C-alpha cells in the first residue's frame, strides 16, 4: 500500500494493518486514544489514532475529521490532512516535529488570528461534539456568547464533576456563581472559527518552522477561549510572542485579560469530569479568579 492507493481506498487500511502489511510503530500523542506511526511502501508516514479497547463512541473519529477539515479550509494555521476517517480509526498526514522558536510563535499568533477571523455561522457546529473522551453539545446556537457558553460549555461538565463527587459542594457553588453572572463579563462577539481544545499539547511545533494544530474540538465559539487555553498547563512556549503577534493582527476587546479565567473554566471542568480530582484545585482557584475580575 502506498499513499496514492490509500487515498483511493481508505477503507482498506484496517485490513492491511490486521494482516501486518504495513509497518506500525507506537508513538506518543494519543492521550485518549492509542497513537501509531504507519510507514507505507512508498516511504510515506501516517499518524493514526484508534480507540484503546472496544468500539469508539459513535461519531468520535468522524467528529475529529470534520473539525480538522473545517479548520484546514481556512488556509491559515497549518492543519494535518485527513487521509482516513473510519468508525474505528483516524489517519492523518505525518508531521515531523521541531523546536518551538520565537519566529514560529510570531507566525502562529498571526495565523491563529486569521483562523478565528474566518468565523462560523453559529456557536456550536453542524457535527456532534467531543472534547477528550467526553461528548460536547454542539447544537448550533445564534448566541449571545455568554449564556451559550454557560449552558453548553460550563454547566454540563460542572454537573458531571459534582455528580461524581470530584468537586465538593463548596466548589460547585463558586462555579455556579460564575455561571449566574456570565453576562456581566461582557466580551460578546460574533462566533469565531476556533480549535476548542487549544491547551499547549495540541500545538505541534513542526520541523518546517510552523506551529500545527492537532486534536481539535472545533466549533464556532469565542476566540478568547482558544487564547486562554494556550496559557493552561504550563503555557505554550513563547506565549507572550504569540499573544503580541495575534493582537497586532486582530486586537482583542477591552477586558480580555479579566475574562481569561472564565474561558479557562471550560477546559478545567472537562478535566475534572473526565480525569478526576487532580484538577479540583485548579477549578476552584480559576473560579475564584473569575469572581474577582
Amino acid at each position: 500500500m502506498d499513499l496514492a492507493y490509500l487515498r483511493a481506498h481508505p477503507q482498506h487500511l484496517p485490513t492491511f494493518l490486521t494482516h501486518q502489511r504495513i509497518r506500525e510503530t507506537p508513538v506518543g500523542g494519543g492521550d485518549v486514544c492509542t497513537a501509531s506511526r504507519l510507514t507505507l511502501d512508498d516511504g510515506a508516514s501516517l499518524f493514526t489514532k484508534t480507540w484503546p479497547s472496544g468500539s469508539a463512541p459513535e461519531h468520535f473519529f468522524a467528529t475529529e475529521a470534520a473539525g480538522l477539515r473545517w479548520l484546514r479550509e481556512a488556509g491559515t494555521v497549518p492543519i494535518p490532512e485527513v487521509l482516513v476517517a473510519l468508525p474505528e480509526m483516524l489517519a492523518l498526514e505525518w508531521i515531523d516535529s521541531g523546536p518551538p522558536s520565537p519566529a514560529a510563535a510570531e507566525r502562529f499568533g498571526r495565523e491563529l488570528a486569521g483562523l478565528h477571523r474566518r468565523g462560523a455561522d453559529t456557536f456550536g457546529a453542524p457535527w456532534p461534539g467531543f472534547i477528550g473522551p467526553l461528548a460536547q453539545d454542539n447544537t448550533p446556537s445564534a448566541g449571545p456568547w455568554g449564556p451559550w457558553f454557560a449552558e453548553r460549555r460550563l454547566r454540563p461538565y460542572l454537573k458531571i464533576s459534582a455528580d461524581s463527587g470530584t468537586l465538593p459542594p463548596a466548589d460547585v457553588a463558586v462555579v455556579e456563581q460564575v455561571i449566574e453572572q456570565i453576562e456581566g463579563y461582557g466580551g460578546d462577539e460574533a462566533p469565531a472559527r476556533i480549535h476548542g481544545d487549544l491547551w499547549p499539547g495540541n500545538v505541534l511545533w513542526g520541523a518546517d518552522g510552523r506551529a500545527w494544530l492537532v486534536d481539535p474540538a472545533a466549533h464556532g465559539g469565542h476566540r478568547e477561549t482558544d487564547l486562554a487555553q494556550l496559557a493552561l498547563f504550563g503555557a505554550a512556549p513563547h506565549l507572550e510572542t504569540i499573544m503580541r503577534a495575534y493582537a497586532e493582527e486582530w486586537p482583542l476587546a477591552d477586558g480580555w485579560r479579566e475574562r481569561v479565567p472564565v474561558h479557562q473554566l471550560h477546559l478545567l471542568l472537562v478535566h475534572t469530569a473526565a480525569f478526576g480530582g487532580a484538577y479540583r484545585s485548579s477549578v476552584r482557584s480559576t473560579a475564584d479568579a473569575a469572581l474577582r475580575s
Side-chain angles (χ1 to χ4, degrees):
M1 175 181 278
D2 59 19
L3 191 55
Y5 182 91
L6 180 67
R7 290 181 188 280
H9 308 281
Q11 72 277 11
H12 291 175
L13 182 57
T15 301
F16 275 75
L17 280 172
T18 299
H19 294 284
Q20 299 182 339
R21 297 282 302 278
I22 299 174
R23 189 170 72 194
E24 182 176 13
T25 307
V27 295
D31 291 336
V32 173
C33 296
T34 300
S36 301
R37 179 177 186 170
L38 306 186
T39 304
L40 305 182
D41 291 338
D42 59 358
S45 289
L46 314 177
F47 176 83
T48 64
K49 298 168 68 171
T50 57
W51 197 250
S53 62
S55 299
E58 188 177 9
H59 306 302
F60 184 83
F61 292 121
T63 288
E64 182 169 346
L68 287 165
R69 289 170 175 142
W70 185 62
L71 297 176
R72 187 178 167 91
E73 284 172 4
T76 55
V77 185
I79 310 290
E81 180 187 358
V82 176
L83 298 169
V84 177
L86 301 172
E88 70 273 28
M89 173 184 297
L90 183 70
L92 312 175
E93 68 172 304
W94 178 265
I95 308 300
D96 288 318
S97 62
S101 68
E106 180 174 355
R107 182 170 183 175
F108 174 49
R110 296 186 187 281
E111 291 176 336
L112 184 61
L115 173 67
H116 290 164
R117 268 193 139 141
R118 282 297 302 271
D121 293 335
T122 63
F123 293 101
W127 49 78
F130 287 92
I131 185 162
L134 301 178
Q136 181 161 264
D137 186 354
N138 267 354
T139 304
S141 169
W145 167 75
W148 169 84
F149 187 75
E151 296 304 320
R152 304 283 176 82
R153 294 297 182 261
L154 298 182
R155 196 179 298 280
Y157 306 107
L158 176 63
K159 183 177 188 306
I160 294 171
S161 301
D163 289 349
S164 67
T166 300
L167 290 181
D171 293 354
V172 172
V174 172
V175 178
E176 285 283 5
Q177 282 185 264
V178 176
I179 290 173
E180 288 167 7
Q181 65 184 49
I182 194 73
E183 293 182 89
Y185 291 101
D188 280 341
E189 292 189 350
R193 186 173 304 215
I194 71 170
H195 178 283
D197 189 9
L198 198 54
W199 70 285
N202 284 341
V203 180
L204 174 58
W205 300 88
D208 60 355
R210 301 181 74 185
W212 294 66
L213 297 187
V214 296
D215 293 345
H219 62 276
H222 200 305
R223 60 189 177 125
E224 291 176 13
T225 300
D226 270 357
L227 297 170
Q229 291 174 350
L230 281 173
L232 287 171
F233 311 133
H238 309 296
L239 181 59
E240 289 185 7
T241 300
I242 295 169
M243 295 297 296
R244 183 174 62 253
Y246 185 103
E248 288 174 358
E249 193 71 23
W250 190 11
L252 291 160
D254 291 344
W256 72 266
R257 289 180 178 85
E258 290 72 30
R259 288 188 292 273
V260 166
V262 178
H263 288 279
Q264 289 179 337
L265 263 180
H266 170 224
L267 196 52
L268 292 171
L269 286 169
V270 168
H271 276 67
T272 55
F275 306 119
Y279 298 93
R280 174 196 162 192
S281 63
S282 295
V283 167
R284 178 58 187 264
S285 63
T286 302
D288 285 341
L291 292 175
R292 291 194 299 269
S293 64

